[in-house]
Amino acid sequence: MGQVSSHCTTANSAASTACPVNHSTTPAPIPAKCPVAHDTEAKPTQCPINHEAINPLNQMPTLSQAPAPQQNIALPTTRAESSIPRDPNLKWEYPSPQQFYNALVRKGWETPEEHVETMVEIHNFLNEQAWLEVLRWEKRQYRGDDVQLTRLQGRPGEMSPKARFWLFAGWLFPSRFNTEPPFDRHDWIVRRPQTGEEVRYVIDYYSAPPEADGSPVFSLDVRPALDSFGSVKERIAVATEEVWASLRDRQDEKR
């Protein structure tokens, strides 16, 4: 499955949870549009949430809801529930704007407080799109609709082999391939309850050229890690399908 893009467009609806981000993974006929306007300079270079600091009681990051020192704007402490199951009865919750801001402050990132709520919407949107891409992969091998995200790990300092390959391709052919490395990486462990299998997915996050109006665009590359024969088989099958689809499109253009 190739890269999928989500473009951000300005909108008046401040309540929307959609985001201006471009995601990559499986071809989508209609790119996801983000109705939220945000400042590109406000986005961090990687997810500020430390997913490894997990509370063993609820398998969620332990994040403070108290205002940060010298904070001037009161931020919401309500946490939105995701669509991503973490067990048969519960779904993952996203950090509140206050928790997200505290994570930014802890990492030393200077972020205008007025942009934090939009950044949380972007963060949540990215995760929702990544989960949709995981489900597309899962449907190729697993017949159930009960897959769960059991745990995840942020690995921003570790470039995946695929990301290294595309970066090398960009160095050789800069006019054809992206020359920028991914700005973040996550590994998600997905469980298939009916079989008990666990499958690791790798997610690379890329920045893409902005829209004509300056709206930022991001891209996600989501795929199963090459940890098992089944995952290797699916990666090869999808790559083959994409090559044939590309050849058919070129033939259609020539007609």
Side-chain angles (χ1 to χ4, degrees):
M1 303 189 183
Q3 293 184 335
V4 173
S5 302
S6 306
H7 304 272
C8 175
T9 56
T10 305
N12 295 325
S13 174
S16 173
T17 56
C19 159
V21 182
N22 161 300
H23 305 299
S24 305
T25 308
T26 41
I30 301 176
K33 297 284 184 180
C34 172
V36 181
H38 80 101
D39 184 349
T40 57
E41 294 181 357
K43 77 174 182 66
T45 55
Q46 63 195 52
C47 177
I49 304 302
N50 179 11
H51 297 286
E52 297 179 49
I54 297 296
N55 182 338
L57 297 178
N58 59 10
Q59 293 301 303
M60 294 297 296
T62 302
L63 302 169
S64 172
Q65 292 275 29
Q70 301 179 344
Q71 180 178 327
N72 297 315
I73 298 177
L75 295 172
T77 57
T78 301
R79 301 181 67 164
E81 184 179 74
S82 76
S83 67
I84 308 173
R86 60 184 178 89
D87 63 37
N89 302 312
L90 296 174
K91 295 180 179 179
W92 288 85
E93 288 184 337
Y94 292 122
S96 69
Q98 182 63 65
Q99 291 174 314
F100 199 90
Y101 181 69
N102 288 341
L104 292 169
V105 170
R106 186 172 61 248
K107 285 182 174 288
W109 292 340
E110 296 183 9
T111 304
E113 297 165 27
E114 63 271 20
H115 291 308
V116 171
E117 290 187 64
T118 300
M119 293 173 66
V120 170
E121 291 179 348
I122 295 170
H123 173 272
N124 299 354
F125 174 82
L126 280 169
N127 281 281
E128 293 294 324
Q129 293 298 309
W131 182 245
L132 290 177
E133 299 304 329
V134 167
L135 293 180
R136 288 191 180 103
W137 281 100
E138 283 295 296
K139 287 178 181 178
R140 297 178 62 92
Q141 293 192 75
Y142 181 64
R143 298 306 177 189
D145 58 359
D146 55 350
V147 292
Q148 305 156 7
L149 174 61
T150 62
R151 57 192 183 278
L152 62 156
Q153 180 183 16
R155 303 174 66 179
E158 300 178 48
M159 195 177 301
S160 66
K162 185 177 180 181
R164 291 181 184 277
F165 171 82
W166 287 120
L167 191 63
F168 179 69
W171 177 75
L172 289 177
F173 307 102
S175 62
R176 194 173 172 191
F177 299 101
N178 185 17
T179 58
E180 295 295 326
F183 62 82
D184 199 5
R185 170 188 172 179
H186 282 183
D187 282 13
W188 287 11
I189 309 300
V190 170
R191 183 173 182 272
R192 300 170 177 170
Q194 295 181 24
T195 64
E197 296 175 273
E198 288 193 346
V199 182
R200 180 169 65 97
Y201 281 83
V202 180
I203 308 172
D204 287 323
Y205 298 76
Y206 291 89
S207 295
E211 295 286 291
D213 63 357
S215 298
V217 179
F218 301 87
S219 174
L220 293 182
D221 187 2
V222 183
R223 70 278 185 192
L226 301 178
D227 293 340
S228 67
F229 175 76
S231 293
V232 172
K233 178 183 175 182
E234 284 305 308
R235 290 275 293 271
I236 294 174
V238 168
T240 303
E241 291 170 9
E242 291 180 344
V243 169
W244 281 113
S246 178
L247 291 175
R248 285 195 299 269
D249 290 342
R250 291 180 184 178
Q251 290 176 350
D252 292 340
E253 291 175 358
K254 293 177 180 180
R255 292 175 183 174

